[in-house]
Each structure stands twice: as C-alpha cells, then as structure tokens.
Amino acid sequence: MNYEETLDFICEMGMLKRVSRSGWWVAGVPAPESVAEHSFRTAVIGHVLARLEGVDPYTVVLMTLYNDIHESRINDLHKIGHRYIDFQAAEQRVQAEQLDGGSPIKAEIASLLKKLIEQGSPESVVARDADILECILQGKEYYDIGYPQTEEWFTGKRDYLHTESAQALYDRIVDYDTTRWRKNLRKFDR
C-alpha cells in the first residue's frame, strides 16, 4: 500500500467539495450545491433504492459515490456545454488516469464505474436512477424556494427512470413540498 498515493487520491476527491454543479447556474440559481453534496445525496438515494429494489446496496452506494470523480479535474459541465465538448470522452480519460496505478481500491472503483456505464446489472440501473432522481429532487427543491426556471428539471422526467421504486418516488416529487420534513418537525415545537 502506497499511503502517499492513497492520500493524493483522497485529497483530490476533496476537490469535489469546491466544484459547483453548473446546470443550476443556467437556471438562475446563484449558489448551487457542490458535486460532493450531489454525490452524497445520490449515495443516500442509491442506498434507499437498492433496499427497495432488493439489490446489493454496497455496490450501488459505491457506484453513486464515485460516479462524478472526474469532475475534480474537469469540473461539472451543464448539458448545453455537452453539445460542444465530448465530455464523455474526457470523463473516461480522466477516470482512467485517476484510477491507474494498480491499487486494489482503484481497481474496484474502475470496475464499478465500468459496470455503471455499461448498465448491465441491476445495481448499475439502480445507481443511474439514484443519480437522475437526485437531480430531479434538487430541481424541485430549488423550485420550492423560488427558482421557477428549475421546473424543467423535474417535470416530465419519469421515463428517464427505470426502477419501480424510483418511478414511485418521482410520482410523488412533482407535487411534493420539499420543506415538508422541516414543517413536520416544527409541529413539536409548540
């Protein structure tokens, strides 16, 4: 085990705390969440969906946690930018460099990300749904706090989801008050 290389990898992943999600800027959100924040909640959603779908939660959580690691080097690029830049090729090139080196940890991550891209396992389908569902939910949250342009991020997106559990959650998100959890807690403050 090369501990310096391990620390290099961990520190590079820390960069994701400083990379803002760029699609929300297009929608007028001035201070969007970071890639790390997105990855965290995607992992939470992935764990929940994995349990609901009866697939391996460990695999799903790792897929969702490492899905955007390339953005530590090339940042997040919104969909308009994808029209002009082959972002997928850049993503794969960065991930290949990040995960090169022969450590068993990097080999495990590389294998999981390959499976995620191929979408050939139930876990990979659940992980992709978790990623999409997190974006949908984030759009609804921004909408609920006053950014109406984000409506297009959460309406009409059901067909992007492939698992029953993700579709069932989506069916509720569109009309759901994302501040409900907080309001329910305030009931006990009286």
Side-chain angles (χ1 to χ4, degrees), residues 9-168:
F9 181 74
I10 292 169
C11 288
E12 181 176 349
M13 294 307 97
M15 288 294 298
L16 296 173
K17 296 189 295 182
R18 295 190 286 275
V19 177
S20 295
R21 303 264 295 160
S22 67
W24 304 118
W25 292 333
V26 176
V29 177
E33 82 280 5
S34 71
V35 172
E37 291 167 315
H38 163 72
S39 296
F40 168 76
R41 188 159 69 172
T42 300
V44 170
I45 293 169
H47 179 254
V48 170
L49 289 179
R51 290 292 185 194
L52 293 172
E53 292 293 319
V55 301
D56 178 28
Y58 177 78
T59 300
V60 172
V61 167
L62 286 183
M63 285 178 171
T64 57
L65 189 61
Y66 290 109
N67 180 46
D68 291 323
I69 63 172
H70 58 279
E71 293 179 3
S72 68
R73 294 187 185 183
I74 56 175
N75 289 314
D76 182 54
L77 182 66
H78 51 74
K79 297 300 179 196
I80 295 170
H82 282 233
R83 292 178 62 178
Y84 305 100
I85 298 170
D86 188 354
F87 196 71
Q88 189 173 18
E91 171 184 330
Q92 290 171 355
R93 189 169 137 223
V94 169
Q95 284 178 354
E97 286 181 15
Q98 287 174 316
L99 300 174
D100 187 34
S103 87
I105 295 167
K106 288 182 176 183
E108 177 187 28
I109 296 167
S111 173
L112 288 168
L113 292 178
K114 183 177 186 294
K115 290 175 185 173
L116 179 60
I117 290 167
E118 293 170 352
Q119 288 288 281
S121 70
E123 287 81 7
S124 66
V125 173
V126 168
R128 178 73 67 227
D129 273 4
D131 188 35
I132 294 166
L133 199 57
E134 200 288 325
C135 291
I136 289 168
L137 188 55
Q138 186 64 65
K140 180 64 164 87
E141 286 175 330
Y142 284 142
Y143 180 84
D144 286 352
I145 62 170
Y147 297 99
Q149 305 89 325
T150 64
E151 185 174 16
E152 67 185 90
W153 267 264
F154 66 88
T155 56
K157 303 297 184 196
R158 190 179 202 277
D159 291 342
Y160 289 93
L161 302 165
H162 298 288
T163 62
E164 273 186 46
S165 301
Q167 290 172 347

Side-chain angles (χ1 to χ4, degrees), residues 171-186:
D171 290 342
R172 287 154 181 86
I173 287 172
V174 176
D175 296 318
Y176 178 75
D177 175 3
T178 59
T179 64
R180 179 179 183 269
W181 68 273
R182 187 180 73 231
K183 291 174 184 172
N184 283 339
L185 287 176
R186 286 198 313 225

